């Protein structure tokens, strides 16, 4: 039989994990990954410092710290996964491309992209000569 004291601690830890996931989700919206990594390190350090005196072993603290860090990171990745699924997979499926536009690799982003099959036209010599002469402003 599990003592009631343990059930309360497990319930509290479940809420802590849920809160950690929520913090990760909120941070994903505005915090860069480097700053979020520093936040995770500070949260883990605070967790370890507050639980050192509670009688838990170092192995328990290390395991729960790792679980807490994984849940924070999972919360950070969750909105990015949702954005990817919505914007790339679902909305990208709606766009249909013509067969001529399905180039891949280096040919998709060439210097003459958008010109189609026609080659660039050279300028007449008279226009080149006009551009070369400096103009006097009035």
């Amino acid at each position: 039989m599990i003592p009631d004291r343990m059930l309360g601690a497990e319930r509290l830890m479940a809420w802590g994990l849920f809160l950690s996931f929520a913090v990760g989700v909120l941070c994903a919206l505005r915090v860069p990954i480097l700053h979020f990594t520093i936040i995770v390190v500070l949260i883990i350090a605070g967790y370890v410092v507050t639980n050192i005196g509670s009688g838990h072993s170092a192995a328990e603290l290390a395991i729960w710290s790792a679980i807490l860090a994984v849940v924070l990171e999972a919360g950070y990745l969750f909105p990015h996964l949702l954005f990817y699924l919505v914007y790339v997979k679902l909305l990208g499926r709606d766009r249909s491309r013509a067969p001529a536009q399905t180039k891949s690799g280096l040919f998709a982003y060439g210097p003459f992209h958008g010109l189609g099959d026609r080659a660039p036209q050279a300028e007449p010599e008279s226009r080149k000569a006009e551009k070369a002469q400096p103009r006097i402003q009035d």
Side-chain angles (χ1 to χ4, degrees):
M1 183 168 169
I2 300 174
D4 289 336
R5 180 179 69 89
M6 292 300 289
L7 289 176
E10 289 173 356
R11 189 175 301 131
L12 186 63
M13 197 59 196
W15 277 109
L17 292 176
F18 177 75
L19 183 64
S20 297
F21 188 82
V23 166
V25 168
L26 291 176
C27 286
L29 301 176
R30 296 298 289 172
V31 178
I33 187 68
L34 178 63
H35 296 155
F36 180 70
T37 304
I38 294 169
I39 290 170
V40 169
V41 168
L42 291 175
I43 289 173
I44 298 303
Y47 173 76
V48 170
V49 166
T50 56
N51 284 320
I52 282 179
S54 65
H56 295 292
S57 67
E60 281 181 314
L61 287 177
I63 290 171
W64 278 109
S65 297
I67 291 172
L68 189 61
V70 166
V71 169
L72 279 164
E73 295 290 338
Y76 191 83
L77 290 177
F78 183 70
H80 294 290
L81 177 68
L82 285 180
F83 291 148
Y84 173 77
L85 290 175
V86 169
Y87 288 111
V88 174
K89 294 295 182 181
L90 296 178
L91 295 179
R93 189 181 307 163
D94 294 338
R95 295 182 182 179
S96 61
R97 294 184 176 183
Q101 294 177 347
T102 56
K103 297 178 183 176
S104 63
L106 295 175
F107 298 111
Y109 302 105
F112 306 115
H113 185 70
L115 294 176
D117 292 333
R118 47 189 183 100
Q121 300 287 328
E123 289 187 34
E125 290 296 325
S126 61
R127 292 199 65 191
K128 286 183 182 178
E130 289 175 8
K131 287 184 181 180
Q133 295 175 357
R135 295 185 180 220
I136 300 173
Q137 294 183 356
D138 294 329

